Amino acid sequence: MNYELLSKIAMEESEKSRNEALILRKRNEILHNEIENLKSKINKLEEEKKDLQKEIETLKSALDFKKEEKKEHFSYYS
């Protein structure tokens, strides 16, 4: 009878271990998917940042050009 009880307990523990392993595998898969999604979002944000920096540089150069244009403007009546 002790062997039957021990066998039953061992089978229950084995089933629990399998279920826990399955849960951990699924959690691991979800975490890996989340990591990939976050990496993708980071890459998109970095690209957007580069585009915005280029736009800022373009606007700065246009502003500098306007400033230079105003400095060089002098009247013919002097």
Side-chain angles (χ1 to χ4, degrees):
M1 182 154 158
N2 283 340
Y3 290 114
E4 290 176 15
L5 184 59
L6 289 174
S7 175
K8 185 176 178 180
I9 291 171
M11 286 178 16
E12 288 173 359
E13 290 297 319
S14 175
E15 185 67 28
K16 284 181 187 177
S17 293
R18 274 186 255 145
N19 288 338
E20 287 176 10
L22 192 81
I23 290 168
L24 290 174
R25 263 190 239 115
K26 187 65 177 174
R27 186 182 297 164
N28 194 26
E29 182 181 318
I30 291 168
L31 289 173
H32 281 289
N33 287 338
E34 284 299 312
I35 289 170
E36 290 302 316
N37 289 340
L38 289 172
K39 283 181 180 179
S40 174
K41 287 179 183 180
I42 288 170
N43 288 337
K44 287 179 184 177
L45 288 170
E46 286 176 348
E47 288 175 16
E48 188 176 336
K49 179 183 173 185
K50 286 179 186 177
D51 291 342
L52 289 172
Q53 286 174 333
K54 286 178 185 177
E55 187 175 345
I56 288 170
E57 290 302 317
T58 302
L59 292 171
K60 280 182 180 179
S61 65
L63 183 62
D64 289 342
F65 179 77
K66 289 276 188 184
K67 286 180 182 177
E68 289 297 318
E69 195 175 70
K70 285 182 180 181
K71 283 181 185 178
E72 292 178 5
H73 186 69
F74 41 90
S75 69
Y76 295 101
Y77 300 107
S78 45

